[in-house]
Amino acid sequence: MNATKTVRLWDFPVRLFHWSLVIAIVTSWWTNQELMIDIHALAGYCVLALVLFRIAWGFVGSSNARFSNFLTGPRKVFGYLMKLPTGGVTELTYPGHNPAGGWMVAVLIVLVAVQAISGLFASEDTFLFFDGPLVAYASSDIARTMNFIHHTNINLIYIAVGLHVFAALFYLVVKRENLIRAMVTGMHHVPESIAAGFMQIRFASPVLGIAILVVCGLAVWALVAVARGG
Ligand code: HEM
Ligand code: HEM
């Protein structure tokens, strides 16, 4: 059996982003009915702040968190997918998102962003009497369209998250590669033969990450406060 080495894979801001996003999405989903619309909106604002943070981190974060690192051309994606049925762990293990997973990450981020943004314009006027903070600034046509998007896009999120979790479990069970633990602890166990690739990752300062996250949180809070106050 190949000797393995423990290497650092994901920085703290990426992990904080991921699990906070999961909690915020599940909370918005859980609270969309009943009389918990305020919590629903609050969790949605958190999603928005997290997405803004992740976009910034995709440009200034650790090397393997950058979009330029994991959004690759169709040739690489196709080549990777062709290797998937036969390739062993060594061949398929990347010091970041793999070429197909990278695009899935982009899809997930766009879908949750669309959900949170459309929520700002969504309204419910039969029993909750709740208007998203930007409803007052939109024409009724735009508000109606956004409401429609908010109710439809959630189905795409179900599908994308379903595929995403399925892929993580597929790696765990079939490929015997625990990507989930790596997303929790930041550390990954890889064959010694490919450990050098992981040593190349340049980690950005976690303090910078937290600072950007706080700024994104404040920006969303300010947007909502000004929109509600105005
Ligand atoms: C609401 C549900 C979820 C959403 C929206 C979501 C979204 C994302 C996003 C955007 C990333 C990219 C992280 C980054 O680069 O910043 C990611 C990565 C990841 N997620 Fe999730 N996730 C969800 C649930 C889960 C769950 C339940 C698991 C575990 C079973 C999981 C396991 C992972 C793993 C292992 C990665 C890293 C993939 C890789 O190594 O390329 N996710 N997820
Ligand atoms: C990414 C975060 C969000 C998720 C996952 C989410 C999810 C949902 C879901 C599943 C529904 C019910 C759709 C249906 O019954 O077909 C819903 C309805 C709604 N959401 Fe969101 N939402 C999010 C963010 C927001 C935000 C930020 C706001 C406003 C501040 C908002 C306001 C509303 C309103 C007003 C409704 C209509 C309630 C109704 O028609 O019963 N949502 N949302």
Side-chain angles (χ1 to χ4, degrees):
M1 209 188 131
N2 265 344
T4 59
K5 205 169 167 153
T6 304
V7 288
R8 205 173 152 206
L9 177 56
W10 298 117
D11 61 30
F12 176 69
V14 163
R15 290 178 283 136
L16 180 67
F17 159 77
H18 183 266
W19 297 111
S20 308
L21 183 68
V22 174
I23 293 171
I25 295 270
V26 170
T27 306
S28 331
W29 171 78
W30 191 257
T31 54
N32 82 78
Q33 278 149 23
E34 316 296 335
L35 295 171
M36 294 191 280
I37 194 75
D38 290 334
I39 299 175
H40 179 84
L42 195 60
Y45 302 147
C46 292
V47 171
L48 195 58
L50 287 164
V51 166
L52 288 176
F53 156 77
R54 188 60 185 90
I55 292 171
W57 204 237
F59 292 101
V60 302
S62 302
S63 58
N64 65 348
R66 295 191 181 198
F67 298 127
S68 58
N69 175 277
F70 63 81
L71 297 182
T72 54
R75 189 193 296 255
K76 273 196 178 165
V77 176
F78 195 66
Y80 173 81
L81 290 174
M82 296 307 283
K83 269 201 278 179
L84 201 52
T86 51
V89 164
T90 316
E91 263 180 284
L92 295 171
T93 300
Y94 284 74
H97 300 301
N98 66 54
W103 282 103
M104 191 60 190
V105 166
V107 167
L108 282 165
I109 292 174
V110 168
L111 287 179
V112 297
V114 166
Q115 191 67 18
I117 293 168
S118 60
L120 301 176
F121 296 87
S123 44
E124 205 290 332
D125 41 22
T126 45
F127 64 99
L128 296 172
F129 303 104
F130 179 90
D131 278 347
L134 298 188
V135 171
Y137 302 88
S139 67
S140 59
D141 269 0
I142 291 185
R144 209 173 311 118
T145 307
M146 288 298 203
N147 229 339
F148 173 78
I149 292 175
H150 199 66
H151 283 72
T152 312
N153 183 64
I154 188 68
N155 298 303
L156 301 181
I157 294 184
Y158 293 148
I159 296 171
V161 168
L163 284 173
H164 173 66
V165 174
F166 176 82
L169 295 177
F170 172 82
Y171 270 88
L172 182 66
V173 176
V174 179
K175 298 276 166 204
R176 304 248 163 235
E177 196 180 347
N178 196 337
L179 302 175
I180 304 168
R181 183 179 52 204
M183 198 31 101
V184 175
T185 65
M187 307 303 283
H188 199 30
H189 305 298
V190 296
E192 228 164 36
S193 54
I194 60 163
F198 289 76
M199 304 301 171
Q200 312 286 317
I201 302 171
R202 279 173 290 104
F203 286 97
S205 153
V207 177
L208 175 69
I210 304 297
I212 296 175
L213 187 54
V214 169
V215 169
C216 293
L218 288 174
V220 172
W221 174 77
L223 170 79
V224 174
V226 169
R228 289 271 188 233

